[in-house]
Amino acid sequence: GRASIRKFALALDDANPHYVDGETARQSKYGDVIAPPTFVCETWQYYRGQLDEQGGFTDRLEMPEGQPIRASNDYIFHRPLRPDDIITASWKIRDIYAKGGRSGPLLFVVVSITYTNQHGDCLAENEETLVYRLTEPANSPERHGHAQEEARS
């Protein structure tokens, strides 16, 4: 909605009138406010499941102890997010592999996330790489397989 878009833009210290000024935005080519591009990729706001004590999703693939380190995000934005969009975020694990690091073994998890609206229009794509520090030997990537998860709002 408009209020969430405005709050997100102001939290980013981005007062672009397309995001925060309804009157200016209505006169623009968009006809209404739009969200800053990365707003669509902040999927916590769409998650409806339970969170664990550390704030992680309880229904996700079991991973090593501890919080992941976000190593990278590669975004492709296809169209602006509008206040009336209903977003579906679909996750797919692309790859899981282990590597040695200075602090010990690391597990890399590459996830592709696609965001669509209620009309099936692709809003954005995100390839995210998460890194976990391993305290015990890594499980074989073959054992994990590939999984898909979906969150709807």
Side-chain angles (χ1 to χ4, degrees):
R2 286 169 192 79
S4 294
I5 290 171
R6 180 179 173 76
K7 287 179 192 176
F8 187 82
L10 294 175
L12 296 175
D13 198 25
D14 189 342
N16 181 325
H18 288 102
Y19 310 149
V20 299
D21 184 345
E23 186 57 39
T24 300
R26 279 187 284 285
Q27 295 174 19
S28 75
K29 67 180 181 178
Y30 302 110
D32 199 352
V33 296
I34 58 170
T38 57
F39 181 90
V40 71
C41 299
E42 295 301 325
T43 55
W44 285 100
Q45 62 191 323
Y46 315 122
Y47 183 68
R48 294 183 181 234
Q50 296 296 314
L51 299 177
D52 64 22
E53 297 80 34
Q54 288 81 35
F57 303 130
T58 59
D59 59 352
R60 303 269 317 252
L61 179 67
E62 180 129 355
M63 298 304 290
E65 291 294 320
Q67 290 292 327
I69 301 164
R70 185 177 289 169
S72 70
N73 287 89
D74 294 313
Y75 300 111
I76 300 172
F77 299 104
H78 296 283
R79 59 183 329 149
L81 178 68
R82 299 175 177 280
D84 61 346
D85 277 333
I86 298 170
I87 299 159
T88 298
S90 299
W91 287 266
K92 181 176 182 181
I93 295 177
R94 287 281 198 217
D95 199 5
I96 299 176
Y97 58 93
K99 287 174 79 173
R102 287 183 290 198
S103 63
L106 301 171
L107 181 70
F108 289 76
V109 179
V110 181
V111 181
S112 293
I113 311 165
T114 303
Y115 307 89
T116 55
N117 66 13
Q118 69 273 23
H119 308 293
D121 300 324
C122 185
L123 301 169
E125 298 171 74
N126 177 14
E127 184 168 286
E128 180 173 77
T129 301
L130 301 169
V131 180
Y132 295 84
R133 285 193 178 97
L134 299 177
T135 55
E136 39 189 78
N139 290 329
S140 162
E142 294 81 42
R143 183 172 173 205
H144 289 286
H146 292 280
Q148 270 192 340
E149 297 179 39
E150 195 169 278
R152 294 183 188 270
S153 171

